[in-house]
Amino acid sequence: MSNNGLLSLTSSMAGDIVVIHVNGVLDATTREQFSDYLDAAADDHGPDMILDLGGVTFMDSRALGLIVHNWQRSTTAGGNFALISVQYPNSKVMWVTGLSQRLPLFDTLDEALAAFAV
């Protein structure tokens, strides 16, 4: 668990896949905390990763860039990557940049896991 008051990060496992639960602000003030947590999760659990963004209250372009970097790192290593529970009002930058059309977005954990099984 990682919590600095602005951002709380926890993880759980869905089989062999790490699910990172993000709650709070993803911006310049929390970027390093978010980056370090994602790096540690990838080191500990491998390239398969699901980010649960249902608790995100705000996301800026730097955080989105970090998400894209981890998506690319995961898929380059042969892993699966998904975002779940993304809320438009709190993650508008994903739609403004057009990345919502490219990133693997799913409403639920079960939908993401089903897509991984294909």
Side-chain angles (χ1 to χ4, degrees), residues 2-4 7-9 30-38:
S2 176
N3 187 342
N4 73 356
L7 179 64
S8 172
L9 301 164
T30 59
R31 186 182 189 287
E32 185 174 341
Q33 175 191 0
F34 188 42
S35 178
D36 291 347
Y37 198 90
L38 294 177

Side-chain angles (χ1 to χ4, degrees), residues 48-71:
D48 291 333
M49 182 178 293
I50 296 174
L51 299 182
D52 179 349
L53 301 180
V56 170
T57 57
F58 174 78
M59 178 189 302
D60 73 3
S61 60
R62 290 181 191 187
L64 181 57
L66 184 58
I67 289 169
V68 169
H69 167 75
N70 280 275
W71 169 46

